[in-house]
Amino acid sequence: LILFICFINPELFANERDFKKDKYLAYEAKDYDNCINNKYSAEEISEIMKNKVVTIYTNSKDNQSYGVGSGFVVAHYNKGTYILTNSHVIADSGSIDIEWLDGHKDKASIVIDGGGVVDNNDIALLKIYGIVGAPVKIKKESTKTGRDVIAIGAPFPLAGVLDYSLSKGVISSIRKKGTLIQTDTAINKGNSGGPLIERSGCI
């Protein structure tokens, strides 16, 4: 994510959903003050994130297996929508499909793959053509132990994919000099790549 942000102008980040207009949407840095001052209920956060969180389906190169994960929009740039997820979600994939909450589907390509399966390297950036959804707001400040958080993703039990599922918890601890966040929020297979959100509505 840091590598990606270094290459783009932050003014190109967007705050609104726009399926039709072929243009960049405005981003204003002052909006990030809301990551400190806003306090939303779980119900309100669910509404805020509906056009930001996606379910990711991958097919293996031999088309013999598929995987499910989650992701979230981080930017609109150069007629494309960029989605952050985990590297292990898209590992060994032959094709990647992005599904939005409204059922719309898009094909995605890999822009950056950290190639890891744990910790800091387990990150990937995907791109789909067109301006779709709305980027999340990402906090500049560190979170704190004990803070309420919500995870949104697509847990994958035996019964099938449960897309856009919410679970609540707290920040249990900050580990490894601030690079690892521990939470007691319920995280299941399929939640990988999804956001952990504070009550401010920011990631």
Side-chain angles (χ1 to χ4, degrees):
L1 178 61
I2 292 172
L3 289 174
F4 172 64
I5 290 177
C6 288
F7 287 112
I8 68 173
N9 183 341
E11 292 181 357
L12 299 177
F13 278 68
N15 290 322
E16 298 176 2
R17 183 168 187 162
D18 188 346
F19 288 101
K20 298 179 180 179
K21 296 180 182 178
D22 185 14
K23 68 176 185 179
Y24 302 132
L25 304 176
Y27 155 79
E28 295 182 3
K30 66 181 181 181
D31 287 348
Y32 277 86
D33 292 340
N34 297 333
C35 291
I36 299 174
N37 301 321
N38 285 348
K39 299 294 180 185
Y40 294 111
S41 67
E43 182 179 358
E44 290 170 325
I45 288 176
S46 175
E47 289 297 318
I48 290 170
M49 301 302 292
K50 278 185 175 179
N51 62 347
K52 300 172 175 58
V53 178
V54 299
T55 302
I56 299 174
Y57 292 92
T58 62
N59 292 296
S60 61
K61 293 177 181 178
D62 59 7
N63 290 319
Q64 296 300 309
S65 62
Y66 75 97
V68 179
S70 305
F72 53 96
V73 180
V74 291
H76 292 152
Y77 177 66
N78 195 25
K79 299 182 181 179
T81 298
Y82 290 81
I83 294 169
L84 201 64
T85 188
N86 284 135
S87 177
H88 75 261
V89 170
I90 52 95
D92 300 319
S93 59
S95 64
I96 303 171
D97 294 308
I98 304 297
E99 183 171 0
W100 303 85
L101 186 59
D102 61 8
H104 180 78
K105 293 183 179 180
D106 291 289
K107 291 288 185 182
S109 59
I110 300 171
V111 178
I112 298 174
D113 182 2
V117 294
V118 294
D119 298 344
N120 295 355
N121 291 334
D122 190 11
I123 193 168
L125 186 70
L126 309 179
K127 177 184 177 181
I128 62 176
Y129 181 79
I131 304 301
V132 189
V136 299
K137 294 178 182 178
I138 301 176
K139 283 190 59 183
K140 295 179 181 179
E141 302 80 13
S142 299
T143 189
K144 294 183 179 180
T145 300
R147 190 163 289 177
D148 292 330
V149 285
I150 290 174
I152 302 180
F156 185 26
L158 294 176
V161 178
L162 304 175
D163 62 322
Y164 204 77
S165 294
L166 277 69
S167 55
K168 291 180 64 176
V170 299
I171 299 297
S172 303
S173 185
I174 309 296
R175 306 286 184 184
K176 296 187 178 181
K177 299 181 180 180
T179 63
L180 184 67
I181 298 173
Q182 178 187 340
T183 180
D184 67 350
T185 309
I187 304 293
N188 299 288
K189 184 178 180 180
N191 274 107
S192 293
L196 192 64
I197 310 153
E198 292 191 354
R199 288 184 57 195
S200 62
C202 298
I203 308 303

